[in-house]
């Protein structure tokens, strides 16, 4: 609140400062409109291109350069690459190459801004563009996206003119030419200013626009502008680093670190070679007759030091990837997600794979949801196993331990309702929240996958809830002396465990679709035969007097819980070939050849 009041007072005190801030706001808003319009117009083509363009480093470089040239945002391309890397759609080596290309492509923006020049007024061009952009927004979705692009260009033009006028109004008040960037200290000072500006504005283009306007107005010397440009380049990697480290997994963090290393080391080398690079820029612009144009000199310098950085790092891509994996090793996947003995103050289990950066792409979001469903299914199977008062290792292994099935409930047995609250509810809530925050337009295949994923998550939760109800009677009867009633509950316990083991095996299976379907049908047939046989045995026991009506009623209810658990889990066989959601995901991500997700 105080900051807003202080800013409002500064606007009232200085008309030039108001013009400068208004121009910057218009420029940033125009960049946002341009970016959004281009992404909406491209649909999923940008994501498909990214997946196809990382098969070789050179293709990745070309994609990064081209995408940044079109979108005019190296940060967006970097964040999109982090999202794809975090969800496993591309590999680290391909992401590094895209990163190099994004830095090269970022130089196109400063050339366009520099070529606009100081003497050319862009406002007359902006006014008709505003009209056409608004008119286009009243038509269909694609026309609206195109209108957004036109509006973005118009606001950028208006912002550039406002920035020019703002610097002109300030005159000597913003004259920094007296503060020369001489010596290492002076250079580092202006590098730091450029870095800070880019971090605050979240746009290296905006920082470079300010530098160009100040250069054109004479308030900034060329040496100061060059140092500021170096800082803006480093600052552009800070936004990527923050998103990568706070909202990404290990893969995303590695690429974020690669971006910081690339820009920082390039900046260090550029500062060390600043004098010869400045001489080279002045010589090249002098040859072309542009020796007095400081704007084009800055653009040339920006291109030269980014190209130099790519050439320095290009031969070391493999070594860089190895270094990143060593510095940020993969976190080991635990064999058991829920420990047998819960800590006194347990933390709520949350989603693992739903990184916010994945929301920038429909494909990355779909892959993240698929991985999180795998996580939720593993948790659900373990909770159901605990509801049976059995150790998790009984879900695997060559055979069932019959002694454990016959055993009484252990004193430290885990309560299924507590496990649901601690380990299922948080992940399920995160999954629904993530899916609800996706604002991208989805085609029919993605919509089907999204709907199927929501149903699958709900069925997993339903299976756990049924296990909670089953555990109540199971606990009481397993602690009772041997009787016909207890033997029937042991029978239910054995049947549900065998079905859980089969579900786990089907999840891991790499059988062809036809054989996988046959094995699933076998599970269905066995469950149906058990239900029918169990009911027959119940009524036979009633006739012989082993069970009374109330006991039979409880067993019938608990048989229903078992049947619903098995039915829910068989409907959520998400992670193997031949499953409906896997088929839908393959349609969404058609380039994948191996199984997209493998249960561990």
């Amino acid at each position: 609140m105080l900051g807003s009041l202080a800013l409002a007072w500064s606007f009232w005190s200085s008309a030039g400062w108001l013009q400068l801030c208004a121009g910057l706001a218009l420029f940033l808003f125009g960049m946002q409109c341009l970016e959004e319009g281009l992404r909406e117009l491209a649909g999923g083509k940008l994501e498909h291109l990214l997946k196809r363009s990382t098969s070789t480093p050179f293709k990745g470089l070309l994609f990064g350069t081209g995408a940044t040239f079109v979108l005019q945002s190296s940060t967006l391309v970097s964040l999109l690459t982090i999202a794809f890397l975090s969800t496993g759609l591309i590999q680290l080596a391909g992401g590094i190459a895209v990163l190099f290309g994004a830095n090269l492509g970022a130089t196109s923006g400063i050339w366009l801004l520099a070529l606009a020049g100081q003497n050319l007024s862009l406002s007359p061009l902006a006014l008709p563009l505003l009209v056409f952009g608004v008119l286009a927004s009243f038509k269909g979705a694609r026309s609206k996206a195109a209108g957004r692009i036109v509006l973005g260009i118009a606001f950028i033009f208006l912002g550039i003119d406002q920035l020019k006028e703002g610097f002109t109004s300030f005159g000597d008040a913003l004259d920094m030419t007296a503060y020369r960037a001489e010596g290492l200290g002076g250079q580092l000072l202006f590098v730091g200013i450029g870095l800070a500006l880019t971090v605050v504005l979240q746009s290296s283009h905006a920082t470079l626009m300010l530098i160009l306007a100040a250069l054109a107005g004479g308030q900034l010397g060329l040496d100061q502008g060059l140092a500021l440009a170096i800082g803006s380049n480093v600052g552009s990697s800070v936004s990527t680093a923050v998103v990568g480290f706070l909202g990404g997994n290990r893969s995303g963090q590695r690429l974020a670190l690669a971006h910081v290393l690339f820009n920082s080391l390039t900046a260090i080398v550029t500062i060390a070679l600043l004098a010869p690079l400045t001489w080279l820029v002045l010589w090249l612009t002098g040859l072309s007759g542009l020796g007095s144009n400081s704007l084009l000199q800055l653009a040339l310098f920006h291109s030269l030091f980014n190209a130099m950085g790519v050439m320095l790092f290009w031969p070391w891509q493999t070594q860089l990837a190895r270094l990143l994996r060593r510095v940020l090793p993969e976190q080991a996947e635990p064999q058991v997600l829920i420990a047998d003995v819960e800590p006194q103050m347990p933390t709520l289990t949350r989603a693992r794979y739903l990184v916010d950066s994945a929301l920038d792409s429909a494909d990355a979001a779909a892959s993240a949801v698929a991985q999180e469903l795998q996580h939720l299914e593993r948790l659900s199977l373990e909770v159901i196993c605990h509801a049976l008062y059995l150790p998790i290792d009984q879900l695997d292994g060559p055979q069932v331990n019959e002694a454990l099935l016959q055993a009484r409930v252990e004193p430290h047995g885990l309560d299924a309702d507590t496990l649901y609250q601690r380990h299922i509810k948080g992940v399920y809530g995160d999954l629904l929240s993530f899916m609800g925050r996706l604002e991208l337009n989805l085609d029919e295949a993605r919509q089907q996958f999204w709907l199927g994923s929501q149903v699958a998550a709900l069925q997993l939760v339903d299976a756990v809830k049924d296990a909670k109800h089953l555990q109540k009677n199971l606990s009481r009867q397993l602690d009772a002396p041997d009787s016909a009633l207890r033997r029937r509950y042991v029978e239910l316990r054995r049947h549900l465990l065998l079905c859980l083991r089969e579900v786990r095996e089907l999840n891991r299976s790499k059988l062809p679709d036809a054989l996988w379907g046959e094995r699933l049908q076998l599970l269905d047939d066995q469950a149906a035969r058990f239900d029918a046989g169990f009911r027959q045995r119940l009524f036979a026991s009633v006739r012989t007097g082993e069970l009374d009506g109330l006991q039979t009623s409880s067993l019938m209810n608990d048989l229903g819980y078992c049947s619903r658990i098995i039915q829910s889990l068989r409907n959520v066989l998400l992670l193997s070939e031949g499953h409906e959601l896997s088929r839908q995901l393959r349609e969404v991500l058609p380039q994948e050849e191996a199984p997209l997700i493998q249960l561990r």
Side-chain angles (χ1 to χ4, degrees), residues 142-169:
R142 292 186 66 81
S143 178
K144 186 176 181 179
R148 191 90 171 153
I149 295 171
V150 175
L151 285 174
I153 295 171
F155 282 118
I156 288 172
F157 285 174
L158 290 173
I160 290 173
D161 275 1
Q162 283 291 319
L163 284 169
K164 292 176 186 176
E165 292 175 11
F167 273 104
T168 302
S169 299

Side-chain angles (χ1 to χ4, degrees), residues 31-75:
M31 292 293 295
Q32 183 182 3
C33 290
L34 182 64
E35 176 186 309
E36 291 175 356
L38 285 167
R39 293 204 62 194
E40 289 176 13
L41 201 62
K45 293 179 182 176
L46 184 65
E47 288 85 347
H48 290 155
L49 278 173
L50 176 55
K51 282 196 300 177
R52 294 194 188 102
S53 300
T54 55
S55 56
T56 66
F58 186 67
K59 286 183 179 179
L61 179 74
L62 290 179
F63 172 82
T65 304
T68 307
F69 175 79
V70 172
L71 295 175
Q72 286 300 300
S73 175
S74 61
T75 300

Side-chain angles (χ1 to χ4, degrees), residues 421-484:
Q421 297 293 334
R422 293 176 183 173
H423 299 290
I424 302 297
K425 201 169 183 178
V427 175
Y428 182 53
D430 289 345
L431 193 57
L432 294 182
S433 174
F434 180 85
M435 298 179 80
R437 286 187 292 129
L438 184 72
E439 297 179 352
L440 303 175
N441 294 324
L442 302 177
D443 57 23
E444 186 176 352
R446 289 175 176 83
Q447 289 175 3
Q448 289 296 323
F449 173 78
W450 226 237
L451 179 61
S453 297
Q454 292 170 358
V455 172
L458 178 61
Q459 288 186 319
L460 284 172
V461 172
D462 285 342
V464 174
K465 288 181 177 179
D466 286 330
K468 292 193 306 179
H469 296 301
L470 174 64
Q471 189 184 42
K472 295 175 183 177
N473 279 340
L474 198 62
S475 171
R476 185 168 57 253
Q477 300 304 330
L478 290 177
D479 270 341
D482 182 56
S483 64

